[in-house]
Amino acid sequence: MMTFSNLSEDNITLDLATKGKHSALSRIAVKLARGTGLDDRAILRGIWRRERVGSTAIGRGIAVPHVLLRSISSPVASFTRLAPPIDFNSPDSDPVDLVFTLLWPRSEARTFLPALSRLFRTVRAPLIREGLRLAQSPEEVMAILMSEARQVDGIPWRTNATHSVALR
């Protein structure tokens, strides 16, 4: 749950229109910098350094750009829904519209992979992905992500976005 507990409504952007991957990551870095007091260029450099190793797109329209930073003491997360989706060199060739960006303290590197794994398990659930694609507000996004902590299967969700998916 650590990943979503570090996500605030202020770091949720819905329907961001960009010209491509660089533009999207630049705008995400600027928003994260405003909220953390970090330098947006330093955030973007770290994210691009990781992207050069290999795309952070994981398939099904999802990307998880991330960077380990010495300059922060606690994790920071953001969620951005892109409209329209963009090419992110995804392994399944699907364009990306759901972007979870993680800034992680280098001093807490041992907790990073378990948190990343938890995020991957969460977004593998079709109901979660579709709810995020239909969410009308940052509050709905938070409700969808937090609901994952309460067993996704078998518990009715109360947000409009997930309710409409569940009824299909």
Side-chain angles (χ1 to χ4, degrees):
M1 198 53 196
M2 187 174 200
T3 303
F4 302 132
S5 64
N6 294 301
L7 177 65
S8 72
E9 290 176 10
D10 293 338
N11 283 339
I12 295 174
T13 304
L14 301 178
D15 302 327
L16 179 66
T18 66
K19 294 179 180 178
K21 186 175 181 178
H22 190 273
S23 173
L25 293 176
S26 294
R27 293 183 64 189
I28 291 168
V30 166
K31 185 164 187 171
L32 283 168
R34 277 191 217 129
T36 61
L38 297 171
D39 177 39
D40 62 300
R41 293 169 299 189
I43 293 171
L44 186 59
R45 265 193 314 273
I47 289 171
W48 269 116
R49 197 172 305 133
R50 172 55 189 86
E51 285 295 322
R52 280 194 297 271
V53 171
S55 177
T56 56
I58 62 172
R60 299 182 175 136
I62 301 162
V64 186
H66 53 276
V67 62
L68 297 175
L69 298 171
R70 286 189 175 89
S71 57
I72 60 174
S73 58
S74 62
V76 178
S78 78
F79 170 75
T80 306
R81 186 174 65 203
L82 303 172
I86 62 172
D87 178 32
F88 227 93
N89 294 329
S90 182
D92 62 4
S93 299
D94 284 352
V96 165
D97 63 338
L98 305 177
V99 181
F100 292 89
T101 307
L102 302 176
L103 308 181
W104 212 265
R106 186 168 293 283
S107 62
E108 294 294 321
R110 64 179 165 52
T111 63
F112 177 67
L113 287 179
L116 193 61
S117 177
R118 170 94 180 191
L119 173 62
F120 287 1
R121 281 193 309 274
T122 299
V123 297
R124 279 185 22 209
L127 196 56
I128 297 283
R129 289 192 313 273
E130 291 310 309
L132 293 172
R133 288 184 171 114
L134 295 171
Q136 298 295 308
S137 67
E139 295 82 10
E140 273 192 37
V141 168
M142 290 298 293
I144 291 164
L145 294 173
M146 293 304 179
S147 70
E148 187 277 336
R150 302 181 311 255
Q151 296 182 324
V152 173
D153 297 327
I155 295 180
W157 295 359
R158 294 195 170 98
T159 66
N160 291 337
T162 56
H163 182 68
S164 65
V165 170
L167 292 176
R168 289 185 187 165

